[in-house]
Amino acid sequence: MTEFRRLTRQGVFRSRSFAGIVATLLLCVSAFSQQDKFQGVVTQGVERVRIAVADFKPANADPNTGPLLTTFNSVLFSDLQNAGIFDVVSKSFNPLQVPGTPQEVTLDAWANPPTNAAMLAFGNLGVSGGQVSVFGWLYDVKNTVSPQVLGKQYREDATQDNARLIAHRFADEIIFRLGGGIPGIAESKTVFVSNRTGTKEIWMMDYDGNGEHAVTKLGSIALSPRISPDSSRIAFVELGKRSVNIRMFSLDLNRPVSFPAIGGTTISPAWSPDGLHLAFSSSRTGDPEIYVSNASGGELTRLTEAHGPDVSPVWNPKTGGQIAWISGRSGLPQLYIMASDGTNVQRMTDTGYAVSPSWSPNGQYLVFAWSRKYGPGVPGAQDIYIMDVASKTWAQLTHDAGSNDFPSWSPDGRHIAFQSNRSGTTQIWTMLADGTQQHQLTHTGQNTQPNWSWK
């Protein structure tokens, strides 16, 4: 349920008029030409690289080596496959003899058919004295003179979690080297809302859905988690018996910390890119408007002043100079942007029912949920769309797969998390930012409102 629809159910937003809808073709560009415009949003100017990932070899016969090696190989392959910038060679095409050290590499065996790789990741893993050691290399197999691109060594306590962590770190090193200098997301986190314990609490998990754990244990209703740019705090909304207000949870202290009651119904917190301010919606004066405070809830400044609810603000993470939000000032909710001081208001959508905006890390695109043909008896579902802010051109990312909402960009700008009920229950999914490679991450209970960490 979107924040806008929640306001509707609370009676804050009562106007359902269609008078404000301008039933014209939006932005006058065909769907196919719009889709073409976003073909490079994932690769971001980088050529896709054909990479082979050899199973790492055991470095010794310690009984813990095998299980950790299985985890490491699985996670490394999955991380590189999910990166969106590689054509990862199927392991069925790999040579029978795999290298564990540079001395064991036969470049021709990987550069020629059927493997046809440009790059090769390989190495070895061993457990000794309760420590797991990993040696990993990345080779340019077409470069017979100086093939080594990367060589790394890792050592941690010998646990399954650390085998996963080392695989993530090595994958991120490879992605950084071959992906245009953009850091990988393998160590990023996603916060979300889950009701699996009986009440809606804030949960957190790794980017690939592993390591799910509860953050809050309030026993009430927690919604709209937004993790701070330094990953030290989570701002969220608690629906209490007498009020709806922003709460703050310190990940450093592992407990809630104080945040003042703003007044009225206060929802949809959003961090500024420097972590010093919050934007949010509050009905403290009667009509939901967008406000900005410092990170402690002080120095309150009102940004919007129009009849109709203004909700779901999100800061341009690149510049901090703009805020996108949803407004019902013209009837059904539409997407708007304004300068961070409330000036230069621009309407971005002119039809349908638009909610839940999220800004790309480079500040160029917005994704949001949109029912373009909203209304009783009108066919069409709520899907995720991407819009180029400068040109206002857009493309549809999800198609014919349930109701989709709450998109959130990954820190590398190549992935989007979102919620969808296509599997029969509402769960967290991810996809590449061009709409491909859609994967379900959560499976227990109802899981909603994902928010990806900033790094």
Side-chain angles (χ1 to χ4, degrees):
M1 181 174 64
T2 67
E3 289 167 331
F4 208 94
R5 290 188 177 115
R6 190 161 50 251
L7 281 172
T8 301
R9 291 179 61 171
Q10 292 168 359
V12 176
F13 173 61
R14 297 185 175 84
S15 173
R16 306 291 289 179
S17 172
F18 288 83
I21 300 175
V22 180
T24 57
L25 291 174
L26 182 66
L27 309 174
C28 307
V29 186
S30 75
F32 291 108
S33 61
Q34 291 163 1
Q35 198 78 46
D36 291 343
K37 184 176 182 64
F38 298 96
Q39 283 185 344
V41 68
V42 173
T43 57
Q44 300 183 42
V46 175
E47 294 269 344
R48 290 180 73 92
V49 176
R50 185 170 173 84
I51 186 170
V53 187
D55 279 342
F56 277 41
K57 295 178 73 172
N60 55 40
D62 187 286
N64 292 317
T65 294
L68 297 189
L69 190 60
T70 299
T71 296
F72 176 88
N73 284 328
S74 173
V75 173
L76 178 62
F77 190 86
S78 178
D79 283 349
L80 296 178
Q81 203 168 36
N82 291 335
I85 55 173
F86 300 124
D87 291 324
V88 181
V89 177
S90 169
K91 291 191 176 183
S92 63
F93 292 149
N94 287 357
L96 293 177
Q97 299 298 321
V98 297
T101 63
Q103 293 75 26
E104 297 173 349
V105 175
T106 304
L107 295 178
D108 288 347
W110 297 90
N112 294 325
T115 309
N116 275 331
M119 293 285 169
L120 168 65
F122 67 97
N124 62 77
L125 178 150
V127 176
S128 178
Q131 296 274 301
V132 57
S133 297
V134 175
F135 292 85
W137 290 272
L138 177 69
Y139 266 29
D140 178 351
V141 295
K142 306 289 187 182
N143 185 343
T144 58
V145 177
S146 182
Q148 181 169 321
V149 176
L150 180 66
K152 299 291 292 187
Q153 178 182 4
Y154 306 89
R155 179 183 289 269
E156 297 285 350
D157 290 342
T159 66
Q160 286 287 330
D161 285 345
N162 283 337
R164 288 180 46 80
L165 178 63
I166 293 171
H168 284 330
R169 287 176 176 170
F170 188 50
D172 277 351
E173 288 279 0
I174 294 172
I175 292 166
F176 181 77
R177 294 296 182 97
L178 303 181
I182 299 173
I185 58 167
E187 294 185 71
S188 64
K189 305 288 184 182
T190 301
V191 291
F192 59 101
V193 175
S194 181
N195 70 349
R196 68 187 71 183
T197 59
T199 58
K200 289 187 176 181
E201 303 283 358
I202 307 303
W203 282 62
M204 179 181 284
M205 62 183 171
D206 296 346
Y207 96 101
D208 57 2
N210 280 277
E212 296 174 79
H213 63 278
V215 174
T216 64
K217 297 176 182 176
L218 301 174
S220 54
I221 298 176
L223 298 170
S224 306
R226 298 290 184 272
I227 193 164
S228 62
D230 65 358
S231 299
S232 68
R233 291 164 291 173
I234 299 173
F236 64 99
V237 173
E238 182 181 22
L239 272 64
K241 293 181 179 179
R242 297 180 179 177
S243 63
V244 180
N245 278 308
I246 292 174
R247 297 286 306 277
M248 194 71 69
F249 190 94
S250 169
L251 293 171
D252 293 337
L253 301 174
N254 194 33
R255 62 173 175 78
V257 293
S258 62
F259 191 84
I262 301 300
T265 297
T266 302
I267 60 173
S268 54
W271 292 94
S272 63
D274 60 8
L276 299 178
H277 296 88
L278 280 178
F280 49 83
S281 171
S282 176
S283 64
R284 64 198 305 267
T285 60
D287 197 37
E289 305 286 356
I290 304 298
Y291 291 81
V292 171
S293 74
N294 63 29
S296 300
E299 301 176 4
L300 203 61
T301 302
R302 179 172 172 172
L303 297 188
T304 62
E305 189 169 357
H307 180 68
D310 294 308
V311 299
S312 304
V314 57
W315 242 295
N316 183 326
K318 179 69 174 181
T319 66
Q322 292 173 299
I323 291 175
W325 86 104
I326 298 297
S327 180
R329 62 187 62 188
S330 62
L332 290 175
Q334 301 295 331
L335 176 63
Y336 288 75
I337 64 172
M338 61 183 166
S340 56
D341 62 0
T343 62
N344 194 24
V345 172
Q346 300 178 56
R347 183 170 169 173
M348 306 300 285
T349 56
D350 289 327
T351 189
Y353 195 109
V355 292
S356 308
S358 176
W359 220 308
S360 65
N362 64 9
Q364 186 176 351
Y365 306 106
L366 286 164
V367 287
F368 56 103
W370 200 8
S371 297
R372 292 188 55 225
K373 298 178 180 178
Y374 182 82
V378 176
Q382 181 166 280
D383 280 299
I384 306 299
Y385 288 77
I386 182 173
M387 175 180 284
D388 176 73
V389 174
S391 65
K392 296 185 181 179
T393 53
W394 50 263
Q396 185 174 345
L397 299 183
T398 61
H399 302 262
D400 304 322
S403 181
N404 307 278
D405 201 351
F406 288 100
S408 177
W409 287 88
S410 64
D412 67 354
R414 292 177 169 136
H415 302 75
I416 294 167
F418 62 103
Q419 72 175 50
S420 178
N421 65 0
R422 68 185 67 180
S423 63
T425 57
T426 305
Q427 302 296 340
I428 308 300
W429 291 66
T430 61
M431 61 183 168
L432 291 179
D434 60 5
T436 62
Q437 295 191 30
Q438 298 188 13
H439 303 293
Q440 183 175 344
L441 296 186
T442 58
H443 300 272
T444 303
Q446 303 272 353
N447 302 283
T448 60
Q449 304 182 359
N451 179 242
W452 217 314
S453 64
W454 292 60
K455 56 185 179 182

